[in-house]
Amino acid sequence: MELAGLAGTIYSRCMLDVTRLRVLVAVARCGSVTAAARALNYAQPSVSHHLARLEAETGTKLIQRAGRGIRLTDAGRLLAERAAEIIGRLDAAENELAAYTGLRAGRLRLAAFPSALGTIVPAAAALLRDQQPGVDLRLTEAEPPEALRMLRAGYVDVALVFRYSEERSGSADGFGPGFVPGLGPGEDEDNGIDLAEGLRERLLLTEPVHLVTSAHGAAAGPAADAAAGSGHGEADPAELAGYARHRWIAGCDRCRANLLRQCAQAGFTPKIAFTTDDYIAVQALVAADLGVSTLPALCLRAARHPGIKTVPLPGAHRYVLAVRYGDPPDPPAVDVLMDALRTVAVPSPRCADSQAADAAQVTPPA
């Protein structure tokens, strides 16, 4: 059956069973009937039965054999995507209603990327616990694209994401072509809204991106000289072109893409020797003089290796945003979480001064 006819078939038949839609979504996410059964805590024959009944209800082949496993047909993938949206909205409606009737007002689910989980999120969680001890905060680690998918599907209430200053809406950041830029942090209203996707974002932090080099050895180069001349761990802005011949350490897909853009603007293509999305590993590799890299300020705020030097890159920034889905108003607990995130996003001057002093006192090993 053609995909164009699937929607008509669904509407012309009896209403689809939500449980079977959940099973299809689980199979699409897990990649097999066995894994889906484990995730749903179902028996494997029960999952197969639900899939067979769903195919009978739609009159469409949704699953096909592929070697020893299975895969979704085009129609199956289409229905799974729409089913995820439907289930997400049903769950969101249930959660909102429960919040307003007082049944589950304190449950919150937050997805965030690793460096935010190492900085902003613990501080916000502690503040939330002190101000609202009845709120049950559940945390999930997810890079921005996955966090936004979870948000749209209703698996989380708030997604912490980031976007680099060179990125454009409708690309890897997950925002569609209807995105309207924000007004800036500290505003009461939403900083931006994706008109096509219903995403509402609030800018929490604009952070610089730093060139990270070894504090000693061949990769120290001009950045280390500049840092030494300034008397601080942070130096005057550095130019990437001076490191065109060095080996580079790249991060996650989106950070790697940003690195390639930055180097292209500097007139060279970096020789990437290592790739890891672990910012602690990046710093350790740099400290061992195995390459140079770039890291946003949050990664250095979360953990800083004593064997590195950092220099801000001119015009390079990363925006950290808290995103919600759907029309306002939000449940009261979500508003409390948003306020906590905004409060702790920017470190206090005392904390920032302490971090700078620690960096300035670093002495390379003899």
Side-chain angles (χ1 to χ4, degrees):
M1 177 180 294
E2 296 293 333
L3 291 180
L6 177 60
T9 300
I10 292 173
Y11 283 114
S12 66
R13 295 173 181 267
C14 61
M15 184 178 297
L16 295 178
D17 186 279
V18 174
T19 299
R20 288 166 192 154
L21 292 179
R22 289 186 187 275
V23 169
L24 181 65
V25 170
V27 171
R29 285 211 174 122
C30 299
S32 72
V33 170
T34 302
R38 189 181 304 114
L40 295 169
N41 199 25
Y42 284 4
Q44 184 172 330
S46 179
V47 171
S48 300
H49 171 75
H50 281 301
L51 292 175
R53 293 298 304 155
L54 189 57
E55 287 186 333
E57 289 176 354
T58 60
T60 306
K61 188 70 174 175
L62 303 175
I63 303 291
Q64 59 185 184
R65 293 288 177 185
R68 294 185 176 181
I70 62 167
R71 66 181 179 186
L72 271 63
T73 63
D74 289 342
R77 284 191 294 272
L78 174 64
L79 183 57
E81 290 173 3
R82 296 295 177 262
E85 296 173 7
I86 292 168
I87 292 168
R89 297 203 175 199
L90 285 173
D91 290 343
E94 177 187 350
N95 292 334
E96 290 171 9
L97 182 60
Y100 285 111
T101 57
L103 296 177
R104 212 160 48 206
R107 193 186 76 170
L108 280 176
R109 300 160 301 171
L110 172 68
F113 54 97
S115 58
L117 280 173
T119 52
I120 297 174
V121 173
L127 183 61
L128 197 65
R129 179 195 58 199
D130 293 340
Q131 296 180 347
Q132 300 287 337
V135 172
D136 179 18
L137 180 62
R138 308 290 179 88
L139 304 177
T140 300
E141 179 180 319
E143 293 293 343
E146 178 61 20
L148 290 176
R149 283 193 290 269
M150 295 175 69
L151 181 65
R152 282 191 286 259
Y155 291 109
V156 296
D157 304 298
V158 178
L160 275 188
V161 302
F162 63 81
R163 180 170 62 247
Y164 285 99
S165 53
E166 297 83 2
E167 290 180 347
R168 295 294 180 263
S169 297
S171 58
D173 61 2
F175 292 97
F179 176 75
V180 179
L183 302 172
E187 301 289 344
D188 290 335
E189 58 269 69
D190 297 320
N191 297 137
I193 182 168
D194 183 324
L195 301 177
E197 295 291 342
L199 298 173
R200 292 180 292 123
E201 69 168 22
R202 179 173 294 171
L203 180 63
L204 299 178
L205 177 66
T206 299
E207 55 174 343
V209 177
H210 296 259
L211 174 67
V212 184
T213 61
S214 173
H216 56 88
D225 296 339
S230 70
H232 299 284
E234 304 298 328
D236 294 332
E239 295 294 341
L240 288 180
Y243 296 85
R245 295 185 178 180
H246 284 82
R247 300 202 302 175
W248 286 81
I249 302 160
C252 68
D253 291 343
R254 303 174 77 244
C255 297
R256 180 191 180 102
N258 182 66
L259 172 64
L260 294 175
R261 281 193 298 268
Q262 290 282 330
C263 293
Q265 292 173 7
F268 71 97
T269 300
K271 295 179 290 186
I272 296 177
F274 301 96
T275 299
T276 174
D277 57 2
D278 185 335
Y279 54 85
I280 296 178
V282 169
Q283 295 184 48
L285 290 167
V286 171
D289 203 19
L290 295 174
V292 297
S293 188
T294 60
L295 285 176
L298 271 188
C299 296
L300 301 169
R301 179 172 154 189
R304 187 184 183 101
H305 195 289
I308 65 169
K309 291 289 185 180
T310 61
V311 188
L313 292 172
H317 296 92
R318 188 174 77 163
Y319 305 112
V320 178
L321 310 112
V323 188
R324 290 147 295 164
Y325 181 73
D327 297 331
D330 295 308
V334 171
D335 290 332
V336 174
L337 175 61
M338 294 293 293
D339 290 341
L341 289 169
R342 186 167 57 180
T343 298
V344 304
V346 180
S348 65
R350 178 181 299 179
C351 178
D353 291 343
S354 175
Q355 291 174 348
D358 290 344
Q361 293 171 4
V362 169
T363 302

